[in-house]
Amino acid sequence: MRAVQSYTRSLERSENARTRADRPQVFSMRGREWDLLDEVFAPNYSPSTGVSLEFLGCFEDVELPRRGSLLEVGSGTGIVAVMAALMGCDRVVASDINPHAVRNTELNARRHGVADRLRPVYSDLFAALPENERFDVVFWHSNYVLAPADYRYRTTQECAYVDPGYEAHRRYLAEAPRWTTDGGTAFLHFSSRGDLDALHALAEETGRALITRRRREIQDGPDTVEHLLLQVVAA
């Protein structure tokens, strides 16, 4: 395993971001101010959220719908969901397994005036969504680092960094396309911090295929990391 894929290093990154003395309550990104609560992934310490915005907003074939609906899984501070609403989506749902993140998304929706069309939901992936709800775009910036299957989270923020046994990834691959409208699309933001071979094996097991729609290599601290926007389709 390459050092960049080490789950212990990712857990160290999580703890550093959670406890550092200069962690702000409000930070700036893309020319806007954003609330940041304790125990929520801090986008100001990682470039990956900015990459998500580029993936969904700056590529003609996969840009966020200027109308229609978006489901963001793992919303964190809610930046992607809020930006989708600001760009014109008339229905945005932002789910997260971290209750602090759900509250954080709600705060930022109110801060930027889109609470009328953005609904934060406390949910483990799709579990708390109404069975009949469907979306034009389903998107997850995943916790792509593979941890041992028996690892147990010590803080709620760690949920944003590692996935024990890739159990969440397995469920996302199996379930995400079921939540799209006819002609809708399910996306997964993955990176070279994760195990791409293991992900493709999971896709095969769940009857899915992965199509790379965008890729971007960035410097993240001491690591060179490749980010991928993957479309999840039926095999």
Side-chain angles (χ1 to χ4, degrees):
M1 177 185 293
R2 295 179 301 153
V4 71
Q5 295 178 317
S6 167
Y7 82 95
T8 56
R9 280 189 62 198
S10 286
L11 293 174
E12 290 171 1
R13 292 174 66 239
S14 172
E15 186 64 8
N16 179 61
R18 188 178 74 89
T19 61
R20 55 189 292 171
D22 63 347
R23 181 182 170 104
Q25 294 181 320
V26 176
F27 66 95
S28 298
M29 179 173 284
R30 297 299 171 111
R32 295 179 179 272
E33 298 291 302
W34 305 90
D35 290 298
L36 175 63
L37 298 183
D38 294 340
E39 298 295 337
V40 178
F41 179 85
N44 49 310
Y45 296 141
S46 170
S48 61
T49 299
V51 175
S52 283
L53 292 172
E54 291 179 19
F55 278 171
L56 289 174
C58 302
F59 189 55
E60 184 177 356
D61 291 342
V62 296
E63 64 186 1
L64 285 168
R66 294 305 192 263
R67 297 188 306 174
S69 56
L70 169 79
L71 168 64
E72 184 191 11
V73 174
S75 62
T77 56
I79 291 178
V80 170
V82 168
M83 290 298 295
L86 290 170
M87 291 167 68
C89 286
D90 50 34
R91 180 169 59 92
V92 179
V93 175
S95 73
D96 206 295
I97 197 173
N98 179 351
H100 304 286
V102 177
R103 174 60 177 158
N104 208 150
T105 296
E106 181 182 19
L107 289 174
N108 281 320
R110 292 179 178 176
R111 174 185 279 271
H112 295 289
V114 295
D116 60 327
R117 55 190 181 276
L118 193 161
R119 186 174 95 243
V121 178
Y122 174 56
S123 181
D124 182 0
L125 295 180
F126 311 100
L129 300 180
E131 279 293 325
N132 62 347
E133 196 160 19
R134 297 293 182 269
F135 303 89
D136 298 313
V137 173
V138 175
F139 175 77
W140 183 29
H141 171 191
S142 77
N143 50 351
Y144 32 65
V145 178
L146 176 61
D150 61 354
Y151 181 76
R152 297 294 178 264
Y153 294 121
R154 298 169 298 178
T155 69
T156 52
Q157 183 179 277
E158 286 186 351
C159 298
Y161 281 81
V162 303
D163 181 12
Y166 270 0
E167 180 57 32
H169 283 79
R170 179 189 298 275
R171 288 186 288 129
Y172 184 82
L173 294 176
E175 299 173 22
R178 303 175 188 171
W179 293 90
T180 62
T181 57
D182 291 339
T185 311
F187 290 118
L188 174 65
H189 177 172
F190 202 72
S191 92
S192 57
R193 291 192 186 278
D195 188 329
L196 190 59
D197 290 338
L199 186 72
H200 277 284
L202 285 177
E204 184 175 355
E205 290 176 19
T206 55
R208 306 301 184 192
L210 301 172
I211 302 171
T212 302
R213 292 302 187 190
R214 280 206 79 186
R215 59 177 72 232
R216 169 89 186 278
E217 191 173 273
I218 59 174
Q219 195 66 30
D220 188 354
D223 302 316
T224 300
V225 180
E226 183 178 43
H227 288 259
L228 305 168
L229 183 66
L230 304 174
Q231 184 177 351
V232 183
V233 300

